Amino acid sequence: MPDDNITQIRKLEHIQIITKRNTQYREKTTMLELVGIKPNGGAISKRDVDIESELLGLPVSAPLFISGMTGGHPATLGINRNIAIAAARLNIPMGVGSQRAMMENKELAYTYDVKKFAKELILIGNIGATKLLVYNDGQIQRMVDSIGVDMLAVHTNPGQESVQPEGDIDFRGVMGRIIEVARGIRQPVIVKEVGNGISREVAARLNGKVYCIDTQGAGGTTWIGVETYRNKSKYGGAFWEWGIPTALSVLEARSSFNGPVWASGGIRTPSDVVRSLAIGAERCGMAKPIISSERSGGSDGVYSFISRMIDGIKEEMAGLGFQSLKELRQAKVTFKEPLRHILKDRGIKAK
Ligand SMILES: Cc1cc2nc3c(=O)[nH]c(=O)nc-3n(C[C@H](O)[C@H](O)[C@H](O)COP(=O)(O)O)c2cc1C
């Protein structure tokens, strides 16, 4: 079967597995539940809480974004369209899934091209780090320009690739290529994982070289789990729990990377968002809850889910006495065991 057919079919399989099987970490959590926030003491109302911010100079209504998921099969256009319309109505950024399929077959570009439905959307493109070894900077530039992306997310996923039947496990030269591409294309580059987290060491190597680290840590969807189902073997089971929990990944990246750090991987509740911001994340991303709400309720389903999250974030911030994101980011935080011990061991400070 040609490569582009395999890539297309895989995109559909991923959605089916994620929405029908339990592909979440079983024991490992994000560790966000181990983060405590000292209340600010202010008596305020939810109506006073301001969670607006800017991204690339553009206004964003909440410290949220939709993590890259799909595109590349004709059936994914409707999903991307529904998500894009909801994201634009709410004024939050959205990522598309890996654009590899459109690189292999340019006729599939329309399945990612969501700005035709939502002109104002802040759109994040997506490509696997190993694919940067295959395509030159000019080809990557054309890939992002053809759907009008504002930023490009490059995903590193050694865990997933190791378990994926057709996985690409030769990562030699990838770091250098990420840095070259970040210099070579016009759009800012984000480096993201897919649910296994980014370490302090990797973040340090990317410091000053890429725009942002999107942790996509452990505790939510495990792609080793997804590929284990696709593989129909027990091989991946041994690695199911592999990865750096999201809270730890944010704190690790914060300690060695001076640019924005985004928290993602297992973000499910307003508390997860508030705690992530308090430990230094700029914004929080979600994948699984978005595809689930789209599959059950279409664009309105995504809109309602995110609206409830936004409401919950404001409620929680008001309860803790924080009126703005700036105040929340200056909050005093405490860590419960075992997170406290791990941070001490690694010499990582709260902020
Ligand atoms: C249906 C689906 C498809 C995904 N496809 C991609 C992809 O093409 N590229 C990518 O970088 N991440 C992809 N991801 C990973 C997410 O961006 C995210 O890193 C991961 O699911 C962890 O977030 P969660 O716990 O909120 O699901 C996908 C996730 C889902 C749910």
Side-chain angles (χ1 to χ4, degrees):
M1 201 186 292
D3 277 0
D4 62 309
N5 281 359
I6 296 173
T7 308
Q8 280 192 52
I9 291 164
R10 189 168 59 223
K11 297 315 287 183
L12 287 190
E13 277 179 351
H14 283 159
I15 293 171
Q16 274 156 9
I17 290 170
I18 283 183
T19 49
K20 295 208 166 78
R21 314 287 297 255
N22 184 359
T23 51
Q24 305 297 289
Y25 279 80
R26 290 165 178 159
E27 286 168 19
K28 194 169 266 184
T29 69
T30 59
M31 286 193 162
L32 285 164
E33 73 284 2
L34 304 178
V35 175
I37 303 175
K38 188 167 179 275
N40 206 21
I44 54 171
S45 142
K46 188 171 103 180
R47 281 192 303 276
D48 300 330
V49 177
D50 175 10
I51 58 169
E52 287 180 15
S53 64
E54 278 193 359
L55 180 60
L56 309 178
L58 300 166
V60 175
S61 69
L64 297 174
F65 67 96
I66 296 171
S67 300
M69 283 183 282
T70 203
H73 184 286
T76 62
L77 174 66
I79 300 175
N80 269 341
R81 182 195 56 217
N82 284 345
I83 297 174
I85 291 170
R89 276 172 76 195
L90 289 156
N91 199 15
I92 64 163
M94 166 196 172
V96 287
S98 169
Q99 292 176 254
R100 172 182 176 178
M102 63 176 268
M103 295 301 268
E104 290 169 358
N105 176 358
K106 63 179 186 317
E107 285 178 13
L108 292 168
Y110 76 97
T111 64
Y112 301 88
D113 184 13
V114 289
K115 280 205 174 174
K116 61 185 172 235
F117 309 112
K119 203 159 51 71
E120 311 302 331
L121 183 68
I122 301 179
L123 187 62
I124 305 171
N126 190 295
I127 192 78
T130 53
K131 294 295 150 223
L132 300 184
L133 301 168
V134 178
Y135 302 113
N136 64 34
D137 294 4
Q139 289 170 302
I140 300 290
Q141 185 68 68
R142 281 193 291 283
M143 174 188 88
V144 295
D145 287 345
S146 68
I147 59 161
V149 310
D150 300 286
M151 315 173 85
L152 174 66
V154 175
H155 66 258
T156 63
N157 58 342
Q160 178 189 6
E161 298 281 351
S162 309
V163 183
Q164 193 168 293
E166 64 282 19
D168 187 353
I169 50 170
D170 189 352
F171 277 78
R172 285 172 301 173
V174 151
M175 193 63 97
R177 266 306 280 150
I178 293 175
I179 293 167
E180 272 172 21
V181 169
R183 236 186 266 129
I185 67 167
R186 285 188 295 279
Q187 289 82 350
V189 165
I190 299 164
V191 173
K192 82 182 276 288
E193 236 289 336
V194 298
N196 299 122
I198 292 184
S199 67
R200 173 172 61 175
E201 290 73 13
V202 168
R205 289 179 68 186
L206 296 167
N207 187 32
K209 314 275 199 253
V210 300
Y211 173 75
C212 164
I213 298 287
D214 177 12
T215 53
Q216 300 287 353
T221 307
T222 159
W223 277 82
I224 292 173
V226 176
E227 297 297 350
T228 301
Y229 283 123
R230 272 189 72 230
N231 220 347
K232 296 187 181 65
S233 91
K234 291 200 165 56
Y235 172 66
F239 299 101
W240 194 283
E241 299 295 318
W242 188 73
I244 308 171
T246 296
L248 182 57
S249 186
V250 169
L251 290 157
E252 290 210 10
R254 272 261 52 93
S255 72
S256 66
F257 186 84
N258 295 324
V261 172
W262 294 358
S264 51
I267 301 292
R268 302 287 180 263
T269 65
S271 283
D272 290 334
V273 176
V274 171
R275 288 170 192 206
S276 297
L277 300 177
I279 60 171
E282 186 191 68
R283 59 193 72 245
C284 292
M286 289 173 285
K288 161 81 164 72
I290 303 294
I291 194 79
S292 298
S293 51
E294 192 282 332
R295 290 292 72 198
S296 58
S299 193
D300 287 344
V302 177
Y303 181 86
S304 319
F305 171 76
I306 299 174
S307 301
R308 284 198 303 279
M309 279 295 276
I310 292 176
D311 215 45
I313 295 166
K314 288 185 176 170
E315 225 158 68
E316 195 151 326
M317 282 177 64
L320 287 164
F322 296 99
Q323 210 165 336
S324 67
L325 296 176
K326 191 168 166 225
E327 281 181 11
L328 177 58
R329 289 200 186 97
Q330 287 162 356
K332 284 215 163 48
V333 290
T334 54
F335 302 112
K336 285 192 196 142
E337 298 296 354
L339 182 57
R340 186 160 64 149
H341 187 85
I342 297 169
L343 293 173
K344 191 164 169 243
D345 214 39
R346 304 216 73 203
I348 295 171
K349 297 221 166 63
K351 296 229 173 103

